[in-house]
Amino acid sequence: MQLHTTLALSLLITAKTDPDSEADRFIITNEFYPEQYSIYTSKYEIVNIIVPLNQLNYGNNPGSKYVFFFVEADQDESGRVIEKGLYVFKDGNPIKLLDNGRDVAAAADESNVAFIAAEDGIYLYNNERVSVHKYGTISDSIIGIAKPTHSDIIYILTEDKEVFIVSGMDTKKEKVNEIVNAEQIILDYDNNLYYLDADTQVYFYDFLSVTKIEGLPDYAFSARLLKPPVTTQGFVPFVVDGEIYCINAKGYAEMFDKVEFAGNGTPSAFAMEDGVVHYYAINKKIYEFDIYDILHNGAKGLLGKLVKKTVADEILTLIGLLV
């Protein structure tokens, strides 16, 4: 399966084979994030990373570094999340854009814009000025946002756990009544919408009805949908209590049993959208893994000591399957 190939490519870099495991499973702990790959250290937890797959990164004159966005947050004594800023990381430097930003969406197309979900509505990112301005008249407290490809609509998820379709320059919004109690929304590259609800269950919305994804655990302590790598088709990764599942629009999930995150190795944010360069946040740091660079020049530090030749050979085989 193509998604299996891409996920293995994304995660084998930071994984180790347990020689006693019959399943040949890769267990990822916090030891597999070498300091040499750290590109940013925060005072707060990094809870979201987004890599735009449009002209912001693939234009005629792209910068030498990827442009990506990330969100920092803290918790008060009651456990309530307190936003500490949404940043753009451009030319190797973090630049704060909003104090109350929460999520970013960019269509995988020829556009050069990114839409930002914030506590007071939607903002539009200007890459030339490295600034933001308010988009439309919506003032809802938005916690999630998704932008379909080749469409003028935007999906927004409000703090009240409701999903709306926003359309037109007048930002007219229409509630999606079929979606209830949503806590996260994600689009695949076929513009299919998936959402995670408060009971850690995943559903698929096809503009007409909602379908529950079968094959997932009935309960989870932690769960998160991931933006899929651009090389996948019709699948979305789902991390639930360290286990990885592949979910699709046909309504079922399949466990990806080759990789598992140990408790202290589970990132607080993932970004594998690009398919070649991946970003993981853990322990208030962002790590950048360029797979081609690692294969070409070797792994650095502790990672280089842990990745065995058999793992490297498998990665090369997976590279061959992708190209």
Side-chain angles (χ1 to χ4, degrees), residues 200 219-223 240-241:
T200 65
Y219 173 80
F221 179 74
S222 65
V240 49
D241 290 340

Side-chain angles (χ1 to χ4, degrees), residues 128-280:
E128 292 184 3
R129 298 182 179 180
V130 194
S131 64
V132 297
H133 64 268
K134 194 73 184 295
Y135 178 79
T137 58
I138 288 176
S139 59
D140 298 73
S141 181
I142 305 173
I143 61 174
I145 190 165
K147 182 69 178 74
T149 302
H150 303 305
S151 172
D152 65 351
I153 71 169
I154 304 170
Y155 289 101
I156 60 171
L157 170 62
T158 68
E159 196 169 335
D160 295 329
K161 302 182 180 182
E162 297 176 329
V163 174
F164 294 85
I165 295 176
V166 177
S167 60
M169 291 303 296
D170 58 353
T171 56
K172 177 183 178 182
K173 68 175 186 178
E174 179 181 354
K175 183 180 177 181
V176 182
N177 293 312
E178 294 83 358
I179 298 178
V180 296
N181 211 22
E183 293 200 341
Q184 187 191 3
I185 56 174
I186 285 288
L187 282 171
D188 66 17
Y189 298 108
D190 295 319
N191 289 340
N192 298 313
L193 183 72
Y194 301 80
Y195 73 93
L196 174 70
D197 74 358
D199 296 321
T200 65
Q201 295 302 298
V202 180
Y203 296 80
F204 165 73
Y205 174 66
D206 64 359
F207 289 96
L208 297 174
S209 61
V210 165
T211 301
K212 185 177 186 295
I213 302 297
E214 301 296 334
L216 295 173
D218 293 330
Y219 173 80
F221 179 74
S222 65
R224 185 167 183 83
L225 292 163
L226 306 184
K227 186 70 175 178
V230 70
T231 50
T232 66
Q233 292 181 350
F235 288 88
V236 169
F238 181 52
V239 179
V240 49
D241 290 340
E243 303 283 358
I244 301 173
Y245 288 81
C246 309
I247 63 177
N248 61 37
K250 295 180 180 179
Y252 65 85
E254 181 179 353
M255 185 176 178
F256 180 62
D257 59 3
K258 294 297 183 182
V259 175
E260 177 184 353
F261 290 101
N264 63 2
T266 303
S268 57
F270 307 71
M272 59 180 74
E273 294 97 304
D274 174 68
V276 176
V277 178
H278 308 100
Y279 297 92
Y280 300 88

Side-chain angles (χ1 to χ4, degrees), residues 33-42 89 280 282-289 300:
Y33 300 91
E35 187 61 31
Q36 291 91 332
Y37 292 101
S38 173
I39 59 172
Y40 175 72
T41 300
S42 171
F89 199 86
Y280 300 88
I282 188 169
N283 298 327
K284 302 178 181 179
K285 293 185 177 183
I286 297 177
Y287 294 83
E288 180 184 70
F289 296 95
K300 302 174 184 177

Side-chain angles (χ1 to χ4, degrees), residues 299-310:
K300 302 174 184 177
L302 178 63
L303 183 62
K305 298 177 182 178
L306 293 174
V307 178
K308 298 181 180 180
K309 181 179 184 300
T310 54

